[in-house]
Amino acid sequence: MPLPKAELHLHIEGTLEPELAFELAARNGVELPYADTEELRKAYDFEDLQSFLNLYYELMAVLRTERDFEDLANAYLARAAAQGVRHAEIFFDPQAHLARGVGMGTVVEGLWRALGESEARHGVSTQLIMCFLRDESAESALETLEAAKPYLDRIVGVGLDSAEVGHPPVKFREVYEAAAALGLRRVAHAGEEGPPEYITEALDVLGVERIDHGLRCMEDAALVERLVRERIPLTLCPLSNVRLRTVDVLADHPLPAMLDAGLLCTVNSDDPAYFGGYVGDNFDAVRSALGLEEERLRELARNSFVASFLEHDEERRARYLAEVEAYRF
Ligand SMILES: [Zn+2]
């Protein structure tokens, strides 16, 4: 039995495996420029962030109907459950779908068809976080929030993702203020490729409660001290960092130093179909590459539930935490 854990940094579009991509392409009459799943799988072995993003957006063309989004989410939840995930807070990128004529309702209702049944079917509780693409305009983010208003009972919070450098958090001040006024939780990618200042700005200007990635905080001792003092969770994605060259090799990953510094770190999979593994694979990889001891792994699992947005159900959080403490490696 795998270590029980929550996944807090997972882009649902990044869970599209080649087999499902072909299945959905056939169902929707979409032509993919690959002969078969094997050739497509080779394309998943991209060089850098841009080649990943190109493929990521290209393949989204196969997602057209509610049923497609439902199948995508169900495939992820089955894999996640098999790797010990008990709770998942799932990102989605509506702008990437709205831009190709797929409406907010299709995306949210489709995902919800899987999420609504997830506990019964997979034993995984779920929440949905809507991300804004930071390389799109602030106006586009505001329009996206507006489009999401009929579906806010399905959405727990907002996030900020895609290409970071050159798109500082302050650009999205207005939409985050509007999201806060609607009672939405707030997170943002910061300090993955962008500088530590983006982390500070995400906290002070956007009012985020969690930082996605946040790796580069390690360049600023005062910031580390603040993150520790304020118990700000960081959602790290080690295999993603290697694939996108944020770190050269996993053995160089700062996770052990971050834990030693007292940071509230969690381990997640980001875009698992593209980055070489789901969350359990990330745990296994850091365990072997960084020599993490069992109690460190337990700490990471504990942190994932502490950092999750389960304030509406503290009894559930306590139950999950008890599972972590009772776990035998
Ligand atoms: Zn991410």
Side-chain angles (χ1 to χ4, degrees):
M1 194 185 83
L3 178 64
K5 55 185 82 68
E7 173 138 72
L8 308 177
H9 185 157
L10 179 278
H11 303 270
I12 197 67
E13 294 89 349
T15 68
L16 182 59
E17 295 284 343
E19 293 72 19
L20 185 60
F22 267 92
E23 194 184 317
L24 299 183
R27 187 197 287 173
N28 294 321
V30 174
E31 191 105 13
L32 287 177
Y34 304 93
D36 51 28
T37 52
E38 201 156 317
E39 198 184 306
L40 177 54
R41 195 166 288 285
K42 281 188 192 130
Y44 278 43
D45 194 16
F46 43 80
E47 301 284 295
D48 53 19
L49 177 63
Q50 199 51 55
S51 58
F52 156 65
L53 287 174
N54 292 346
L55 182 65
Y56 183 69
Y57 291 120
E58 179 183 36
L59 285 186
M60 278 187 204
V62 305
L63 296 164
R64 311 282 333 165
T65 67
E66 282 190 22
R67 191 179 153 208
D68 300 337
F69 287 93
E70 177 186 10
D71 289 352
L72 179 70
N74 261 326
Y76 161 69
L77 289 164
R79 284 172 182 267
Q83 297 201 357
V85 172
R86 306 284 288 113
H87 176 74
E89 300 187 358
I90 297 173
F91 294 143
F92 70 109
D93 284 328
Q95 283 154 298
H97 308 301
L98 293 168
R100 41 187 199 88
V102 176
M104 183 70 79
T106 303
V107 181
V108 176
E109 295 299 346
L111 293 173
W112 197 258
R113 277 157 65 160
L115 270 49
E117 293 193 345
S118 175
E119 277 216 79
R121 204 164 161 185
H122 306 287
V124 181
S125 55
T126 58
Q127 287 181 311
L128 207 47
I129 296 176
M130 178 173 81
C131 284
F132 304 115
L133 299 178
R134 68 199 306 153
D135 40 0
E136 297 287 332
S137 69
E139 292 70 33
S140 172
L142 282 162
E143 285 163 21
T144 305
L145 183 62
E146 196 58 39
K149 280 187 178 164
Y151 308 99
L152 291 184
D153 57 335
R154 306 269 199 255
I155 298 170
V156 71
V158 296
L160 191 60
D161 64 5
S162 199
E164 184 182 3
V165 177
H167 303 285
V170 66
K171 179 177 161 186
F172 297 94
R173 179 202 297 266
E174 203 181 336
V175 76
Y176 269 70
E177 281 172 2
L182 291 167
L184 292 164
R185 312 293 296 259
R186 289 162 288 168
V187 300
H189 285 47
E192 177 190 15
E193 293 189 317
E197 291 74 28
Y198 281 20
I199 298 174
T200 306
E201 210 174 280
L203 294 169
D204 293 340
V205 179
L206 304 185
V208 304
E209 301 169 73
R210 270 195 325 237
I211 296 286
D212 295 312
H213 292 298
L215 217 58
R216 290 191 59 192
C217 73
M218 296 302 277
E219 296 166 27
D220 181 343
L223 176 57
V224 169
E225 205 175 295
R226 175 184 179 185
L227 294 171
V228 171
R229 192 175 57 242
E230 296 181 11
R231 300 282 288 155
I232 306 289
L234 306 176
T235 64
L236 302 173
C237 306
L239 289 176
S240 161
N241 295 151
V242 175
R243 292 301 291 277
L244 296 180
R245 311 278 197 271
T246 311
V247 298
D248 290 332
V249 291
L250 202 50
D252 291 345
H253 201 281
L255 174 61
M258 295 175 86
L259 288 170
D260 287 344
L263 288 162
L264 208 162
C265 299
T266 65
V267 163
N268 308 269
S269 70
D270 209 1
D271 299 285
Y274 298 90
F275 296 153
Y278 287 76
V279 66
D281 304 315
N282 273 269
F283 268 77
D284 291 346
V286 294
R287 182 181 198 174
S288 58
L290 300 169
L292 287 191
E293 289 166 10
E294 289 171 355
E295 287 315 306
R296 279 300 203 199
L297 300 172
R298 194 189 306 277
E299 178 185 349
L300 288 167
R302 187 187 300 128
N303 288 350
S304 71
F305 293 115
V306 169
S308 63
F309 291 152
L310 280 170
E311 282 76 3
H312 63 289
D313 194 350
E314 290 294 350
E315 194 191 318
R316 177 188 296 274
R317 192 197 319 261
R319 202 163 65 237
Y320 290 152
L321 284 167
E323 280 183 40
V324 172
E325 299 315 321
Y327 184 77
R328 285 173 188 271
F329 286 91

